[in-house]
Amino acid sequence: MSVSAEPVRDAARPLLEVLVCTFEDRLAGLISRLPASQPGIAYLICHQVPSGQHFDVSLLSNRDDLRYLRFSDRGLSRNRNHCLRHAVGRICLIADDDIEFLPGWSE
């Protein structure tokens, strides 16, 4: 769940990385909609919290396919740029935090 400053080896890069920017308390709804882990797919959640409020992210700690970044600045464009700077996927999909993952979405 952390971002390393070290470069990611190509073999360790997911084929698809879903980049999701969320704001304040919308994180809980996003977590509840994340699909089960799938080979080659990873998620990067950039959580915008300009209020400084604490949110429980312990539910994310059991996911090896997920990285979480807390972002204290304001603005969706800034948050997406922050997310893109930390993306490691060979293909990146930018998604809204109200995304619904339909069965077979990754095929």
Side-chain angles (χ1 to χ4, degrees):
M1 271 193 359
S2 62
V3 174
S4 171
E6 298 177 25
V8 176
R9 293 186 330 257
D10 205 44
R13 294 175 64 187
L15 174 61
L16 175 64
E17 187 170 28
V18 181
L19 312 178
V20 187
C21 295
T22 190
F23 184 79
E24 297 280 352
D25 59 353
R26 294 178 62 103
L27 178 66
L30 172 62
I31 292 170
S32 70
R33 288 188 305 278
L34 287 176
S37 297
Q38 297 177 10
I41 300 175
Y43 301 88
L44 174 57
I45 297 175
C46 290
H47 187 197
Q48 189 174 355
V49 191
S51 68
Q53 185 177 352
H54 173 75
F55 291 90
D56 182 15
V57 295
S58 61
L59 293 173
L60 303 175
S61 64
N62 62 346
R63 300 277 307 245
D64 292 335
D65 62 336
L66 187 137
R67 294 182 301 137
Y68 171 85
L69 295 174
R70 187 176 169 102
F71 185 66
S72 60
D73 218 345
R74 280 197 172 269
L76 177 58
S77 295
R78 286 183 177 157
N79 197 3
R80 283 188 176 156
N81 287 333
H82 178 74
C83 209
L84 285 167
R85 275 192 296 277
H86 293 283
V88 296
R90 294 178 190 159
I91 300 169
C92 293
L93 170 68
I94 298 173
D96 290 333
D97 61 1
D98 60 352
I99 187 170
E100 293 288 337
F101 294 91
L102 299 175
W105 74 271
S106 61
E107 296 174 2

